[in-house]
Each structure stands twice: as structure tokens, then as C-alpha cells.
Amino acid sequence: MDATSTISMATLLLALFTLLALPGLSFASITRHYKFDIQRKNVTRLCHTRSIVTVNGKFPGPKIVAREGDRVIVKVINHIKNNVTIHWHGVRQIQTGWADGPAYITQCPIQRGQTYVYNFTIVGQRGTLLWHAHISWMRVTLYGAIIILPKRGVPYPFPKPYKEIPVIFGEWFNADPEAVIAQALQTGAGPNVSDAYTINGLPGPLYNCSKVDTFKLKVKPGKTYLLRMINAALNDELFFSIANHTLTVVEVDAIYTKPFNSDTILITPGQTTNVLLRTKPSFPGATFLMAARPYATGLGTFDNTTTAGLLEYKYTPSTPSNKNLPLSKPTLPSLNDTAFAANFTGKLRSLANAQFPANVPQTVDKRFYFTVGLGTSPCPKNQTCQGPNGTKFAASVNNISFALPSTALLQAHFLGQSKGVYTTDFPSNPPFPFNYTGTPPNNTFVTNGTKAVVLPFNASVELVMQDTSIQGNESHPLHLHGFNFFVVGQGFGNYDPSKDPAKFNLADPIERNTFGVPAGGWVAIRFQADNPGVWFMHCHLDVHTSWGLRMAWVVNDGPLPNQKLLPPPSDLPKC
Ligand SMILES: *[C@@H]1O[C@H](CO)[C@@H](O)[C@H](O)[C@H]1NC(C)=O
Ligand SMILES: *[C@@H]1O[C@H](CO)[C@@H](O)[C@H](O)[C@H]1NC(C)=O
Ligand SMILES: *[C@@H]1O[C@H](CO)[C@@H](O)[C@H](O)[C@H]1NC(C)=O
Ligand SMILES: *[C@@H]1O[C@H](CO)[C@@H](O)[C@H](O)[C@H]1NC(C)=O
Ligand SMILES: *[C@@H]1O[C@H](CO)[C@@H](O)[C@H](O)[C@H]1NC(C)=O
Ligand SMILES: *[C@@H]1O[C@H](CO)[C@@H](O)[C@H](O)[C@H]1NC(C)=O
Ligand SMILES: *[C@@H]1O[C@H](CO)[C@@H](O)[C@H](O)[C@H]1NC(C)=O
Ligand SMILES: *[C@@H]1O[C@H](CO)[C@@H](O)[C@H](O)[C@H]1NC(C)=O
Ligand SMILES: *[C@@H]1O[C@H](CO)[C@@H](O)[C@H](O)[C@H]1NC(C)=O
Ligand SMILES: *[C@@H]1O[C@H](CO)[C@@H](O)[C@H](O)[C@H]1NC(C)=O
Ligand SMILES: *[C@@H]1O[C@H](CO)[C@@H](O)[C@H](O)[C@H]1NC(C)=O
Ligand SMILES: *[C@@H]1O[C@H](CO)[C@@H](O)[C@H](O)[C@H]1NC(C)=O
Ligand SMILES: [Cu+2]
């Protein structure tokens, strides 16, 4: 080897080394391939065997692991009679709305025998998210974790955990959930509630015939564990606590937070929360219960049971046995503790530093005020209905109960064929004002329609969502697809546009994709409409979604090539 080639080789190696060391270069990212076979499996819980729908026969489903910047390709093959779609909850899907997944919004369902390949990259996100089915109530058993690691060589903004553990909450029905919701929609009554909550698919020791199905977290003393918590329950927000241990919240919805300590966390369906658990410095000689049960304030019945798991310190011969020591139980807030909920959510702040800035829109192009809540719809002529006063339960946004179309909105939008599929007259304000959190109006009937809001590319949006007291004040965890939003303000009673904006936090508000509109209150959010496509927004309590608490935003293309929705993949399912 002569001198020049040695030099050029060294330069090349140096250049290569520099490139590899720099995070964010596309060639450092990789493609992660997954295959999801949708198939039934007999599973027993609470001494009750049921044929449930699974991915690859696993319950909860397989976890997706990727690094920030990676491409994820999931081939979904549907082997069952039910239609299926999969949603990658919280993944931004920049320009790739075709891979988002809500049925009849971004795609037609994958029917029996069909295959669809979800193909997307993970841009500017790291943390915990979840995937779940997004059609009818199929997500009761079709869900799993999405774990997005930072780019190689980039540390967490908190001490490196000794171990990372997914903790996924779910809801178990002894009955077939598809039959439960079909019957409720037919009769107009509230659906039968679930029989148990689960931690990683296991109800735990507080239910009859369930001791064998208990999640056990075995830990060593003096270590820091990262619990990646996900609420995949169908209809219930949950309080969670571990006896005698404090949790440090460090990330929600794949956004780093300013760390804060709490003995109990509140997590709504669709939300994720990463917490650090520091174990006791020495073997404590006792086992600790971890438990979750709902936060609920509505008038309807709900599953008020408690799921539990065990935090077990590893026993070594040099430590005394803990066999006969009492089990420590956590104290959870009462089922209707709205003060705790407000206190907890009020503590969440984005990290908002130079490396992880909070890009809060400081000015607003478009303002919206949406009521969210329950209502009723008339009973069909020759039927008797079992909802309030012989009507049917319904739910709405600005009094519109969203009717799903029979083809996908995104296709209609892309092809310029919205006529007969959806209209663009979704109201920016409630149709008639009333004291939203006071005595409900006499007429609680909703109207229905398939209506969307159209936004120009990159509009900055401020949306105030107001709970209504119709059928009871209740927290509604609203989830926005395709974006994260900043929670700039929240309060109780009716939003006051003359006084409340002065109190908005535009510096370090929490950024996330799902937020519980306070029971009997309001929340103000802001987001930049920088992702072209059709984006669903809905309550993540599936019973409310089924009743119509859902709507869609259409974000038009921008002028540049990287501001346009890409063409649909060739295997996009047809209706
Ligand atoms: C589930 O159990 C039923 C009844 O025992 C049986 O007929 C069926 O084949 C089983 N299904 C699967 C997927 O194992
Ligand atoms: C995924 O999308 C990328 C970008 O459009 C494309 O190059 C690639 O071929 C796709 N892969 C599959 C398996 O569809
Ligand atoms: C757990 O907390 C309870 C109540 O504060 C206390 O009585 C008990 O001693 C604690 N147990 C352990 C092992 O720390
Ligand atoms: C849970 O609900 C059941 C049935 O509605 C009720 O009987 C029971 O008192 C409730 N338990 C709690 C702790 O609220
Ligand atoms: C919460 O429920 C308890 C009974 O479980 C009741 O006494 C109390 O009034 C309720 N609080 C609120 C704010 O509804
Ligand atoms: C709110 O949180 C603070 C600090 O953690 C605590 O001292 C206070 O008691 C909490 N208030 C309520 C109503 O839970
Ligand atoms: C009444 O309901 C039944 C089924 O529930 C339906 O077959 C029938 O057509 C309905 N009649 C009218 C007049 O709507
Ligand atoms: C049902 O109707 C009665 C009388 O028409 C009314 O007093 C009551 O408030 C209604 N209940 C609900 C839940 O709408
Ligand atoms: C709305 O109703 C609530 C509850 O009854 C009441 O406290 C409040 O004063 C009412 N607000 C207005 C503006 O009337
Ligand atoms: C509501 O109904 C009550 C009694 O049915 C009536 O007195 C009142 O005027 C009605 N209010 C409105 C706003 O229509
Ligand atoms: C929508 O409203 C119309 C009346 O405007 C009614 O006939 C129809 O049944 C409603 N559809 C649904 C799904 O509630
Ligand atoms: C599945 O979806 C297709 C397309 O929308 C629809 O025609 C069919 O009725 C659905 N099948 C079932 C079993 O729901
Ligand atoms: Cu809701």
C-alpha cells in the first residue's frame, strides 16, 4: 500500500467513523420486519376459556422494538372471519397516513384471507407507544407494546435503568366483546362491563380463580428499573400504585418529561407512561402488591374491580426468607377522585431543553371550541330501547355523532372523490350554547353525519375541548392521530375565552397524543398541522367511540414534495 492510498484509506475510515458517530444519518437506521398472523386462540382466565383473537397466538401481542429513525414493516395476514386493521398508536406517520390504520378513516379493513403491509418510519420520537386493532372492539385482545429506543449512542435524559419492563394494562371479558358491543348498539343500553382488568394479560390474585394468572416482577435491591406502562384497557382510565414504593415519571406518549415523583399514577386508555422504580437498598423481607383500578365519574356502571401483580425481591441464601411476612398493599385514590386526577395531570411538563425542545405554536391560525360528551338518539319506531328514558345512548363532538362511511376517507380525499363520502362543514363551535357543566338542556338528542374539518398545510391550531354534563360529568381521553399536541391549559366549569388564555403555559406544556378532558371541565391544546392526510380524533373509551364521539381532520398537502401525502401502497385493502 503506498502513501496516498494509506491516507485516503485513513480519511475514508475517519469519515465513516464520523458519520456513524453522528446520530440521525439515514444509513445508520435499519428496517425492522414483523409478521402479524391474526388468528384465534383459546385462552383461560378466571376459570373461563374463551376463543380470543390474537397476533401470532400471543396475548398480549408481540412487542415492536425499533430505534428512532428506523423503518418498520409489518405484514398483517388476517386468518379470521372478523375484519381487522392495526393502528400504531402515537406514531406520527409523516406523509404515510395509509399506514395509520383506523378502519374507514385511512383504510378499508383487511378481510379474511387478505394481507396488508404497514410501512412507516419513526421520525423524531423515542419512548413507549402501543399498537392495537382499530375496528369495532377488536382491540380488547389485539394489542402490544411499541418500544422506540433512542438513536444508537444517544443516552436517556435520566439514569440508565438496570432493566426495562413493559407493564400493559388490559381488560378481560368472559363474554365475546364483539357480541357485547353489537347488543348494546342494538338495544341502546350501556354495554355489559368487563370481568377483570389485567397486567400483561394477567388479572392477578384479587379475582376468584386467578392466583395462577399473576404478573410477577422479580427485582434486585438497590437498582433502578424502567417500567414502560401502557393502558390498553377498553373503557377505563386507571390509577396504578406499588405498595411502599415511589415512582418517578420521566416520559409520557414518547415525550420526555421533567421528572416528578408520585406514589400513584393515572393513565387513560391510549396513554403510555414511563416511570423509574428505585428498589429498596437492601432485601426488605416482604412482597409488595402493585395494583390498578379505575378512575370513573360518569353515571353509568363500570368494572370497579382491581387488578394486581407482585413486586418480589429476589431471595438469596444470605437474606432471610420472606415467606410469612405480610403482603404490603398500596392505597389507591377513590374511584371518583377528580382532585387527584387534576393534581397529577397538572404536574406533567415537557422536558423542553435544547436537545428536546417544546415547539409550542406561539400564534394561532385556526381556533376551535368542541363540546365532547354523551347524549341520546331517538328510538327507532318499532323498537323499544333501553337507553336513558327509552332512547339510545349516543355521544358526540359539537353535538354531531360521527357516522363511519363505507369507504375510507383518506382514499376519497386523495382521489378528490369526497362527494357522497364526507362533507367539510364540521362546526367550529357548539351549535347552541348552554351551561355545559350545569343542568343539561331538555333536548339531549344528537345529530349524526360524516363531517370533517379541512385545514391548510401547516396551520397552527388551538382547540378547546369542553366536557358536557349530559348523562354525567365524565373525563374523556381524547386521542388525536397523526400529531402530538401541547396541553396549554385546563380547568373546571365552562371555558372562558376572555380570562383563561392569560393562564396558558406556552413554555413547557406537556406534549402528547392522548389527554383526558377533565370531568366537568375543559382542556386547551395546540398543534401544528404539518402532516398531510386525514386524521381521526376520538375518545379512547371505546364505548364512547362506538356511540359517535369521533371526528376527522383533513390536512391538505403543502407546496413542497416532502409536504405531500404519498400515493397509496398497491396492496391497500378495498371495501
Ligand atoms: C378452542 O376450543 C374449542 C372447544 O374446546 C375447540 O373446538 C376449538 O378448536 C379450539 N380452538 C382453537 C383455536 O384451539
Ligand atoms: C416501504 O416504503 C418505502 C418508501 O416508500 C419503499 O421504498 C419500500 O419499498 C417499502 N417497502 C415495502 C416492503 O413495501
Ligand atoms: C409499607 O408501608 C406500610 C404503611 O406505610 C408500613 O406499615 C410498612 O411497614 C411498610 N412495609 C415495608 C416492608 O416497608
Ligand atoms: C362495584 O360495583 C358493584 C356493582 O355495581 C357494586 O355492588 C359494588 O358496591 C361496587 N364496589 C365498589 C368498591 O364501588
Ligand atoms: C365519590 O364517591 C363516594 C362514594 O364512593 C361519594 O361519597 C362521594 O360523594 C363521591 N365524590 C364525588 C366528588 O362525586
Ligand atoms: C397535590 O399534589 C401535592 C404535591 O404532590 C400534594 O401535596 C397535594 O396533597 C395534592 N393534592 C391533592 C388534592 O391530591
Ligand atoms: C321493525 O323491526 C323489524 C326487525 O327488528 C324489521 O324487520 C321491520 O322491518 C321493522 N318494521 C318497520 C316498519 O320498520
Ligand atoms: C326522563 O324523563 C322524565 C320525564 O319526562 C324526566 O323528568 C327525566 O329527567 C328524564 N331522565 C333523563 C335521564 O333524561
Ligand atoms: C353552570 O352550572 C353550574 C352547576 O350548576 C353552576 O355552578 C354555574 O354557576 C353555572 N354557570 C353559569 C354561567 O350559569
Ligand atoms: C325544559 O323543560 C321544562 C319542563 O319540561 C320547561 O319548564 C322549560 O322551559 C324547558 N326549558 C327549555 C330551555 O326549553
Ligand atoms: C342519523 O340520523 C337520521 C335522522 O336524521 C336517522 O334516521 C339515522 O338513523 C341516524 N343514524 C344513526 C347511525 O344514528
Ligand atoms: C368487512 O369489510 C367489508 C368492507 O367494508 C364489508 O363489506 C364486510 O361486510 C365486512 N365484513 C364483516 C364480517 O364485518
Ligand atoms: Cu369518552
Side-chain angles (χ1 to χ4, degrees):
M1 221 182 256
D2 65 26
T4 18
S5 70
T6 312
I7 288 164
S8 61
M9 190 62 126
T11 318
L12 191 74
L13 281 172
L14 185 69
L16 200 67
F17 179 79
T18 316
L19 284 174
L20 284 170
L22 279 174
L25 282 154
S26 55
F27 81 92
S29 306
I30 63 167
T31 301
R32 316 262 179 167
H33 291 268
Y34 290 89
K35 184 165 167 257
F36 275 22
D37 283 295
I38 310 293
Q39 59 196 58
R40 288 192 167 269
K41 187 182 167 76
N42 288 337
V43 168
T44 304
R45 294 289 183 273
L46 317 173
C47 283
H48 208 98
T49 301
R50 198 162 70 69
S51 157
I52 68 167
V53 180
T54 69
V55 166
N56 304 344
K58 290 189 175 162
F59 174 67
K63 63 176 180 224
I64 301 273
V65 182
R67 277 188 194 279
E68 176 181 349
D70 285 353
R71 179 173 292 280
V72 175
I73 293 183
V74 188
K75 183 177 184 181
V76 179
I77 308 151
N78 185 2
H79 302 279
I80 63 165
K81 277 191 227 144
N82 309 65
N83 286 336
V84 169
T85 70
I86 305 286
H87 169 52
W88 319 93
H89 182 115
V91 174
R92 291 280 325 266
Q93 299 292 2
I94 292 164
Q95 296 181 279
T96 55
W98 306 106
D100 191 39
Y104 303 107
I105 306 297
T106 63
Q107 67 164 101
C108 294
I110 309 168
Q111 299 181 42
R112 181 182 209 163
Q114 293 181 350
T115 296
Y116 180 47
V117 177
Y118 291 88
N119 180 351
F120 54 90
T121 50
I122 296 176
V123 182
Q125 297 182 282
R126 77 301 294 170
T128 306
L129 294 171
L130 70 154
W131 59 265
H132 63 76
H134 211 306
I135 182 167
S136 190
W137 277 17
M138 297 298 285
R139 77 176 182 86
V140 175
T141 55
L142 283 177
Y143 62 82
I146 301 179
I147 291 164
I148 311 165
L149 301 169
K151 286 178 181 169
R152 199 170 287 283
V154 178
Y156 294 126
F158 46 80
K160 188 177 155 53
Y162 172 68
K163 267 193 180 158
E164 304 188 2
I165 323 272
V167 175
I168 315 181
F169 303 109
E171 225 166 320
W172 172 265
F173 287 76
N174 285 336
D176 170 13
E178 287 303 294
V180 170
I181 183 57
Q183 189 198 17
L185 293 178
Q186 169 65 30
T187 65
N192 291 342
V193 301
S194 56
D195 296 282
Y197 296 100
T198 55
I199 300 177
N200 292 339
L202 304 166
L206 305 183
Y207 296 97
N208 286 336
C209 198
S210 180
K211 236 185 188 112
V212 289
D213 295 316
T214 298
F215 170 65
K216 288 177 187 160
L217 177 54
K218 292 190 164 52
V219 295
K220 286 184 181 167
K223 303 273 186 211
T224 299
Y225 291 79
L226 178 70
L227 307 186
R228 295 178 174 270
M229 306 206 287
I230 297 170
N231 188 347
L234 196 70
N235 290 322
D236 297 86
E237 303 190 13
L238 295 168
F239 291 124
F240 173 79
S241 186
I242 305 178
N244 298 69
H245 289 75
T246 295
L247 304 170
T248 306
V249 177
V250 292
E251 182 234 297
V252 296
D253 297 6
I255 292 291
Y256 293 130
T257 66
K258 292 196 169 75
F260 69 94
N261 292 343
S262 190
D263 292 348
T264 299
I265 70 139
L266 171 63
I267 186 165
T268 80
Q271 289 183 336
T272 56
T273 307
N274 278 7
V275 299
L276 298 177
L277 166 70
R278 283 186 195 83
T279 55
K280 296 188 178 295
S282 59
F283 183 73
T287 296
F288 303 90
L289 207 65
M290 60 179 83
R293 70 170 189 181
Y295 161 56
T297 62
L299 300 176
T301 53
F302 60 99
D303 176 353
N304 62 14
T305 62
T306 305
T307 180
L310 298 176
L311 182 72
E312 286 183 350
Y313 281 74
K314 275 177 193 151
Y315 167 78
T316 59
S318 62
T319 53
S321 156
N322 61 0
K323 278 224 173 67
N324 297 313
L325 282 167
L327 182 68
S328 285
K329 292 184 180 171
T331 314
L332 287 163
S334 65
L335 294 166
N336 58 6
D337 198 342
T338 294
F340 180 92
N343 203 349
F344 181 80
T345 58
K347 285 179 202 151
L348 290 164
R349 293 277 184 280
S350 291
L351 196 50
N353 62 16
Q355 198 185 355
F356 302 103
N359 296 315
V360 191
Q362 298 292 316
T363 58
V364 174
D365 300 322
K366 303 270 178 191
R367 270 175 224 280
F368 301 91
Y369 185 45
F370 288 178
T371 57
V372 297
L374 303 190
T376 55
S377 66
C379 194
K381 278 280 175 311
N382 74 353
Q383 213 189 316
T384 52
C385 292
Q386 291 160 23
N389 272 357
T391 64
K392 291 180 119 174
F393 267 115
S396 68
V397 180
N398 273 350
N399 214 43
I400 294 165
S401 186
F402 185 91
L404 286 179
S406 51
T407 185
L409 297 185
L410 187 60
Q411 265 174 308
H413 163 70
F414 183 80
L415 300 171
Q417 294 169 355
S418 61
K419 202 158 183 269
V421 181
Y422 68 93
T423 58
T424 56
D425 55 348
F426 193 92
S428 301
N429 289 287
F432 55 94
F434 62 99
N435 184 347
Y436 304 109
T437 55
T439 311
N442 289 6
N443 180 354
T444 62
F445 286 149
V446 299
T447 60
N448 67 52
T450 308
K451 295 175 188 291
V453 174
V454 178
L455 294 170
F457 180 80
N458 216 26
S460 73
V461 177
E462 182 178 285
L463 165 64
V464 176
M465 288 184 281
Q466 172 75 58
D467 183 31
T468 75
S469 56
I470 300 168
Q471 310 302 334
N473 286 327
E474 190 169 3
S475 170
H476 298 279
L478 262 288
H479 171 52
L480 176 62
H481 290 229
F483 302 93
N484 282 335
F485 52 75
F486 292 93
V487 181
V488 296
Q490 60 171 321
F492 291 109
N494 296 305
Y495 171 68
D496 183 343
S498 67
K499 289 207 187 95
D500 291 321
K503 289 174 269 174
F504 285 177
N505 173 5
L506 302 180
D508 66 349
I510 193 61
E511 178 183 347
R512 59 190 322 172
N513 64 59
T514 306
F515 189 81
V517 177
W522 55 270
V523 63
I525 66 170
R526 286 191 183 180
F527 66 96
Q528 200 78 32
D530 57 1
N531 192 7
V534 177
W535 305 107
F536 208 21
M537 190 177 82
H538 60 95
C539 181
H540 221 280
L541 308 181
D542 273 28
V543 54
H544 296 172
T545 317
S546 301
W547 285 341
L549 211 170
R550 51 194 178 190
M551 56 80 67
W553 303 88
V554 175
V555 178
N556 286 330
D557 282 351
L560 303 176
N562 66 353
Q563 299 172 340
K564 294 183 197 305
L565 175 68
L566 297 169
S570 57
D571 60 346
L572 186 73
K574 294 181 177 60
C575 282

